[in-house]
Amino acid sequence: DFGKTRGRRSTFRCIVSKGVRYSINNIGVRGVIALWSGGAYDTKRDRLVLWGGGHKGYAGNELYAFDVQALKWERINDPTLKVNEKTKDRGRYVDGLPRSSHTYNYVQYVPAIDRFCSFGTAGGYPTGNEGTGITWAFDFDKKTWEEKGKAGARGIGAYSAVDPVTGHVFVRGNYPATRLAEWDPVKNQWTDRTGRINNRTDYYKTAAIDPIGRRLFGIGRGQVYLYEFGKPGKVKQQIITTKGPQDVVKAACPGLAYDPVLDKLVGWTSGPSLWTLDLETLTWAEVKPAATNTVTPSKPCRTGTYGRFRYMPSGNAYLVVNSWDTNVFVYRLSDLATAPVPKRFKEALKSKDAALKKWAVKQVVRFGRALEFLKGMLSPEDRKRMDEFRRKFEEDRMRDGERYRNGWR
């Protein structure tokens, strides 16, 4: 069911020094969400992190986070103040930090290095022509940006997703870097997976990864792009057809996430319903909220939802934010205590891919019916690992169980 964050509205503000102009068209700080901007979920700190703005709308390059435990917004860092001075590098302010930009679906939290990353920047303040090809990584402890070198893929409307199995990031770039590239954040190494695809700029897709099938989906504006990246070497971009209701496919920049409890992609476009994609049959289905549900999320931002719809592993729930001055909304779709373990996890647990197998064990132990599912399948080493994961998960569930029950009604 959808639930509101107990009346906590998404109001955040930027205190601007006298004489500093932060907007040309008076959109201001609401542009952090309103201007083709995305977000990412920081799984270590349990918070949704937003970064956006750009063009003529908003100059502030600060980050905001909604803390799920505290149910409140926080401004993580201070914005650059000298935003109107010309620089040789049009993608940076005079202090060397990235300009406020449209962030589409190219920002991600990367657990392997505990950084919020932006793969290039585009649509920057003040003309929309500003941008960089840099991989920017925000250090939450030092509250500053680091440069990780040139991004392997980037551009206006680029979309990306983190592979939870390897920790790598896949970025499908648009002009001028129209390719699918894979980033190893630990080695800080890029691999071109497709070669140049085309020069078409596509603002309208959101990405999600099927970890078991080892493939990336890019969905939106009437198309589904598929990239099967499981084997080394070059990958072909496929345009595929899905069955069932096409609400998510037809939407521009929908909310999209992989749910490891359902083993399905889950999308949100507007209203109270969610939509699930069966990853074996590629069939969409509508999931309506319970009859007792009384909450409907606010309307989606007209420029897209992108990564502001996210799955929260700690609570087995989704959250979405659509505006700077409306509530954050949360939806719980399944109950870990009673949910059956999806059948595709059996093949993952038998995989010769050690990383996939380890990830699958970590997911399965979250289920209340894990032992029933795993009976006779685990080696002594795997059982020991499962016991370790299970103990940690039970600690987290005891801490957070009451908070997530019944979708935060």
Side-chain angles (χ1 to χ4, degrees), residues 339-351:
V341 181
K343 62 181 182 180
R344 286 204 312 161
F345 276 96
K346 282 191 175 181
E347 62 183 74
L349 290 168
K350 295 176 181 178
S351 174

Side-chain angles (χ1 to χ4, degrees), residues 67-103:
D67 188 314
V68 171
Q69 301 298 327
L71 298 180
K72 67 179 182 180
W73 284 98
E74 172 193 4
R75 193 179 75 192
I76 297 176
N77 63 323
D78 294 328
T80 297
L81 293 180
K82 295 181 179 181
V83 297
N84 299 314
E85 297 185 16
K86 292 183 179 181
T87 57
K88 291 183 179 180
D89 184 339
R90 297 181 67 188
R92 307 169 194 259
Y93 289 128
V94 68
D95 59 5
L97 299 180
R99 288 177 178 269
S100 177
S101 303
H102 301 340
T103 52

Side-chain angles (χ1 to χ4, degrees), residues 126-302:
T127 71
N129 294 319
E130 288 75 14
T132 73
I134 300 296
T135 299
W136 295 95
F138 188 84
D139 184 327
F140 289 115
D141 295 325
K142 296 180 180 179
K143 295 188 176 182
T144 191
W145 290 97
E146 303 167 341
E147 293 185 38
K148 297 292 185 180
K150 188 176 180 181
R154 61 194 187 281
I156 294 175
Y159 51 90
S160 63
V162 179
D163 175 18
V165 173
T166 62
H168 292 187
V169 184
F170 288 82
V171 182
R172 202 292 198 179
N174 280 319
Y175 182 80
T178 49
R179 61 177 58 86
L180 179 70
E182 178 180 358
W183 185 50
D184 181 335
V186 176
K187 295 180 180 179
N188 192 19
Q189 179 177 315
W190 285 93
T191 303
D192 182 350
R193 297 303 306 270
T194 59
R196 197 173 186 90
I197 300 172
N198 54 47
N199 290 329
R200 182 168 176 257
T201 296
D202 185 350
Y203 292 66
Y204 305 108
K205 289 182 175 58
T206 306
I209 282 177
D210 167 12
I212 297 176
R214 315 304 295 133
R215 51 191 178 171
L216 172 79
F217 290 80
I219 299 177
R221 199 64 177 273
Q223 290 182 316
V224 179
Y225 284 0
L226 181 67
Y227 310 86
E228 297 178 310
F229 60 78
K231 296 180 180 180
K234 295 296 184 183
V235 175
K236 290 184 178 181
Q237 175 177 278
Q238 305 174 54
I239 301 178
I240 66 169
T241 301
T242 55
K243 295 175 282 188
Q246 297 295 296
D247 297 63
V248 177
V249 176
K250 291 178 180 179
C253 331
L256 189 68
Y258 171 75
D259 186 324
V261 178
L262 300 176
D263 187 31
K264 295 178 180 180
L265 296 191
V266 177
W268 180 77
T269 60
S270 64
S273 292
L274 294 182
W275 307 85
T276 61
L277 179 66
D278 186 301
L279 292 168
E280 291 187 291
T281 65
L282 295 180
T283 301
W284 292 97
E286 181 180 7
V287 181
K288 296 181 179 180
T292 55
N293 180 74
T294 60
V295 176
T296 298
S298 56
K299 292 181 180 180
C301 178
R302 67 175 183 84

